[in-house]
Amino acid sequence: MPDAALRLKSLAEQLLGAPLPVRLRAWDGSEAGPPDGPTLVVRSRRALRRLMWKPGELGLARAWVAGDLDVEGDLYAVLDRLAEFIWERDDDAKSLRESLREPEFRAAARSLVALSAPFLPPAPPPEEMRRRGRLHLHTKGSDRQAISHHYDVGNDFYELVLGPSMVYSCAYWESEASTLEDAQRDKLELISRKLALKPGMRLLDVGCGWGSMAIHAAREHGVTVVGVTLSQEQAAYARKRIAEEGLTDRIEIRVQDYRDVRDGPYDAISSIGMAEHVGSEQYLEYARDLHALLKPGGRLLNHQIARRPQADESSYEVDEFIDAYVFPDGELAPVGTTVGLLERAGFEVRDVEAIREHYALTLRRWVANLEARWQEGQRLTSPGRARIWRLYMAASALSFERNRIGVNQVLAVKTPEAGTSGLPLRAREWT
C-alpha cells in the first residue's frame, strides 16, 4: 500500500517539532495530513534529495523551481501556514547543527535519506544564478550581470505580469477597487508632485525600467528626462514606447551605470525601486553621486523597499531564494539606515511616506495577472521562471502584509547653504 505521504508527514513533524499544517500528497499517490485546506504536492523523490543536499530555503526553492514541489489550492494559504517554519523562526530556534546532536533528529534525518534514495545531488535548475567571484561585490560588471539575470527574461512576460503600465514597483492605491493601471499612474503622478516637476526642468530617472516614469514626467509635466538602466531589453522597450509617444526630443534612454552619469546638474532625480540593487557597501557612494548630480535646491525622490531592523545588524543575511533566483546581489536596509546615509551624503531629508500596504495590493494584482494566463506565462519565459515569479510575488505580498518588510518614499533636498529648501510650509501639499 502506498505510504510515502504518511512517512513524509511523520518525518516532517519530527524535524519541525510541530504538527504539519498542510496536507501532503506524495509521488506514489498517497496523502496524509489535515483534510481541509490546500495540499503540498511532492511530485518526486528528487525534492527530498534537494533538501538533503541543501537543507533549508534554498533546497525548497530548487525543488519548487524544478517542479518537484507544487501546490494544489490557494498558494497564499500554503505560504501562510508554512511561514513560521521557513521565514519566522525565533532567534532562539535551534540550528541544523544543534538539532543533529539529538538522537531523535538524527534518526529522522536517516529515514529521510532512505526515503530519498538514490542519494545523488540533483543539478540546480537552469534559472539559478551562476556565481563568479565574491557575493555582493557590486562592481559595474557584477551589477550588470545581476540586472540582466532579473530583467532580461522577456518583455512580453513582464507585460503579462505588470499590465499596460509596465511599472515594476509599488503602486499607490486610492482604494482596493482601483485598477492596477490607475494606481500606477497615481504613483507616478505622486512622485512628480513631490519633485515639483515643471516644464523646462531636467529629470534624471535612475533605474528607469521600461520608461514609464520618464514618459509620464515628459508628457504630463513638460520636463526633459534622462533615464539610465543596465538592462538592454528594458532600454529597447522604453525607446520604442517613447518613439510611439512622440517624445524622442524630450527623453533619452541610456544603457549606463549610475556611476558613469556625468552630465549634471539635474533639477530632480527619481530613484524608484533602484536602490535595492545598490548594496550596503556602495550605498553612501550612490547617495553622494546623486547629490553631486543635483543643482542646489534640487530634489531626490527615493522609493525603496526596507526590512525591519535587527538587534544585531551584522547578522543580516540576504534571503537565499531571492538571491539565487530573483534579485541577485539585492540587499534591503532599514529605513532609518537609508535616511542616515542620505543625510551623510549631504541631503536634507524632508519627508518619509510609508506605503507598505500598497505593495501588498500591487503584488496580489501581479500574481492574479500571472495566474490568469499561466500557460502563456510559462511559454513566454520558461516554466521554472514563471514558477519563480509566482512564488516570490505571493510570498512578498504576505511579507508586506505581515510587516516583515515595508516600502518608503523618501523625499530629500540638496539644500543650499542659505537654507532655502524650496518646499512649501505644508509639506504634503502634493497629496
Side-chain angles (χ1 to χ4, degrees):
M1 179 178 177
D3 66 348
L6 188 60
R7 293 171 66 189
L8 279 175
K9 175 180 176 294
S10 176
L11 288 170
E13 291 178 345
Q14 279 184 271
L15 296 171
L16 295 173
L20 191 66
V22 296
R23 189 161 182 79
L24 275 179
R25 180 180 304 132
W27 57 89
D28 62 356
S30 60
E31 296 190 19
D36 61 320
T39 300
L40 184 65
V41 183
V42 185
R43 296 197 181 281
S44 167
R45 294 177 190 264
R46 194 165 48 245
L48 307 185
R49 294 199 290 276
R50 293 189 186 279
L51 280 168
M52 294 305 302
W53 284 95
K54 275 291 180 183
E57 187 175 334
L58 186 57
L60 285 170
R62 287 176 172 176
W64 172 267
V65 175
D68 301 325
L69 278 180
D70 207 348
V71 166
E72 285 187 6
D74 188 342
L75 177 59
Y76 293 105
V78 170
L79 293 174
D80 195 48
R81 295 186 184 194
L82 293 177
E84 66 176 293
F85 301 110
I86 302 174
W87 296 292
E88 297 177 357
R89 295 174 62 84
D90 295 332
D91 291 339
D92 60 354
K94 293 178 182 176
S95 68
L96 180 63
R97 181 174 296 182
E98 290 172 326
S99 297
L100 283 171
R101 298 192 185 111
E102 300 176 0
E104 298 85 356
F105 190 95
R106 290 201 303 271
R110 284 194 296 270
S111 298
L112 191 59
V113 170
L115 191 58
S116 68
F119 195 58
L120 296 173
E127 292 83 3
E128 185 168 314
M129 179 73 166
R130 299 297 189 264
R131 296 289 186 182
R132 293 198 295 269
R134 185 167 71 87
L135 302 185
H136 311 301
L137 189 61
H138 289 287
T139 63
K140 293 177 183 179
S142 67
D143 281 355
R144 186 165 53 250
Q145 181 190 15
I147 292 298
S148 179
H149 176 89
H150 185 73
Y151 292 106
D152 293 341
V153 302
N155 290 328
D156 290 343
F157 176 74
Y158 275 107
E159 279 186 338
L160 183 151
V161 174
L162 304 180
S165 68
M166 285 300 282
V167 181
Y168 191 26
S169 54
C170 174
Y172 196 73
W173 299 83
E174 289 291 333
S175 74
E176 294 187 29
S178 300
T179 68
L180 176 60
E181 287 66 42
D182 285 346
Q184 291 291 16
R185 182 202 62 227
D186 290 347
K187 187 268 298 295
L188 298 177
E189 180 60 20
L190 176 66
I191 291 172
S192 298
R193 292 186 180 189
K194 288 182 176 182
L195 291 173
L197 297 182
K198 295 179 178 62
M201 293 175 66
R202 292 185 78 210
L203 169 69
L204 174 63
D205 187 25
V206 186
C208 65
W210 293 272
S212 298
M213 178 64 199
I215 291 170
H216 182 89
R219 184 183 60 210
E220 303 299 329
H221 297 274
V223 303
T224 300
V225 187
V226 171
V228 296
T229 176
L230 293 179
S231 167
Q232 296 283 352
E233 289 191 16
Q234 284 186 333
Y237 188 97
R239 289 167 182 154
K240 182 175 182 293
R241 291 178 71 193
I242 290 161
E244 291 170 350
E245 291 275 352
L247 294 170
T248 53
D249 60 329
R250 278 191 268 165
I251 305 174
E252 178 188 1
I253 300 296
R254 304 173 185 167
V255 178
Q256 186 178 38
D257 193 284
Y258 70 88
R259 288 163 282 201
D260 294 328
V261 178
R262 294 289 182 266
D263 61 343
Y266 288 88
D267 298 281
I269 298 177
S270 53
S271 175
I272 309 169
M274 162 66 189
E276 297 89 336
H277 296 292
V278 171
S280 59
E281 293 182 11
Q282 297 293 326
Y283 200 94
L284 183 57
E285 177 191 349
Y286 176 70
R288 285 173 172 162
D289 283 349
L290 299 190
H291 187 268
L293 287 166
L294 277 172
K295 72 173 189 180
R299 300 184 189 182
L300 165 69
L301 192 288
N302 186 69
H303 177 115
Q304 182 177 344
I305 298 172
R307 60 176 172 83
R308 302 293 298 167
Q310 298 182 175
D312 177 11
E313 278 294 312
S314 66
S315 66
Y316 167 66
E317 294 181 354
V318 177
D319 181 280
E320 286 186 299
F321 167 61
I322 298 293
D323 194 48
Y325 288 101
V326 186
F327 289 107
D329 290 351
E331 296 179 62
L332 301 183
V335 64
T337 300
T338 297
V339 168
L341 290 170
L342 289 171
E343 290 182 328
R344 284 179 60 190
F347 282 105
E348 179 188 9
V349 173
R350 294 301 301 253
D351 186 77
V352 179
E353 183 175 4
I355 54 174
R356 173 175 61 82
E357 294 86 351
H358 293 252
Y359 218 155
L361 290 171
T362 305
L363 284 156
R364 283 184 177 267
R365 296 298 178 92
W366 291 343
V367 172
N369 285 346
L370 178 57
E371 290 180 341
R373 298 165 64 185
W374 180 244
Q375 297 301 323
E376 184 181 357
Q378 294 182 87
R379 179 178 58 79
L380 289 174
T381 178
S382 72
R385 197 166 297 282
R387 292 171 65 81
I388 291 166
W389 256 245
R390 182 179 176 227
L391 177 61
Y392 116 77
M393 292 190 299
S396 296
L398 292 175
S399 292
F400 282 106
E401 289 168 357
R402 290 185 168 205
N403 192 29
R404 289 201 296 268
I405 52 178
V407 62
N408 306 279
Q409 288 191 354
V410 180
L411 179 65
V413 181
K414 184 176 180 175
T415 304
E417 289 184 7
T420 305
S421 71
L423 268 76
L425 291 175
R426 298 175 66 105
R428 288 194 172 178
E429 282 189 357
W430 48 75
T431 60

